[in-house]
Amino acid sequence: MTSAPASDFLWTPLHDWPLESILALQAQAYAPALREKGAVLQAKRDASSRMHPLSWAVASALAPTRLCAYAIACPWRTDMPAQWNHAHLPPAAPDCLYVHDIAVAADWQGHHLAAGLLQRILDEGDRLGYRQAVLIAVQGAERYWCRHGFVPDRAAGMSGFGDSAIRMTRVWTGK
């Protein structure tokens, strides 16, 4: 599959999308055990400001009301274990970004939307002064995240994400 040009997509802050659209795509992208409650996703999405969004959405320019992909990220602390299905945000004195979730609809995979969403998160995080991001790789995604500069850090405290979950970190210098 060839990638569609970037102009074929509309990139907007995830704050602009109804929670129902986000939940529908989450249900398509994740196994039932990894789906979070709507209130939890909403709190994580809303943990960054509308002026400096860390959570993004992608829609097709041809179908602007259909969510093709989304990313949820929020300020976090490197010494805090990631929490699945908990909305205790934002933490005091955050020192990194937590890339909580990037989901792409099955019929839009192969268009590099996940990579584009990740880059938007990292660029905005850089503007906010962050130089590190953490995430939990699930459903066998460790190799994907390694290709994008994340390395396993084997931190403890990832209950709820499944036995194969791996915490990963990416550090960068500012632009």
Side-chain angles (χ1 to χ4, degrees):
M1 173 183 293
T2 59
S3 180
S7 61
D8 288 351
F9 297 101
L10 304 173
W11 301 77
T12 61
L14 193 59
H15 293 89
D16 297 344
W17 282 83
L19 185 59
E20 295 77 24
S21 296
I22 299 166
L23 290 171
L25 183 48
Q26 176 191 234
Q28 185 183 101
Y30 292 101
L34 291 174
R35 296 179 196 156
E36 290 187 301
K37 296 175 188 165
V40 172
L41 282 181
Q42 184 172 352
K44 289 177 180 177
R45 175 194 70 185
D46 295 346
S48 65
S49 76
R50 288 181 180 269
M51 294 296 295
H52 300 284
L54 293 170
S55 297
W56 290 90
V58 182
S60 166
L62 299 176
T65 60
R66 181 171 175 255
L67 186 62
C68 298
Y70 72 81
I72 296 176
C74 55
W76 201 250
R77 292 187 47 85
T78 54
D79 62 350
M80 284 179 58
Q83 298 177 326
W84 180 82
N85 218 19
H86 291 277
H88 305 291
L89 299 167
D95 62 0
C96 70
L97 297 176
Y98 173 44
V99 180
H100 170 67
D101 191 3
I102 295 182
V104 179
D107 53 338
W108 288 103
Q109 292 177 3
H111 292 278
H112 307 288
L113 298 180
L117 287 164
L118 176 63
Q119 193 58 55
R120 286 177 186 272
I121 290 168
L122 298 178
D123 287 348
E124 190 60 38
D126 192 67
R127 281 190 281 281
L128 294 170
Y130 295 109
R131 301 295 181 260
Q132 183 172 355
V134 298
L135 59 80
I136 307 300
V138 297
Q139 298 185 161
E142 178 185 2
R143 291 178 56 199
Y144 174 83
W145 293 113
C146 285
R147 289 193 308 268
H148 291 280
F150 285 84
V151 296
D153 70 12
R154 308 292 183 214
M158 297 182 301
S159 65
F161 288 96
D163 294 339
S164 64
I166 298 172
R167 180 179 150 136
M168 303 183 79
T169 302
R170 176 176 167 174
V171 178
W172 67 92
T173 58
K175 292 183 179 178

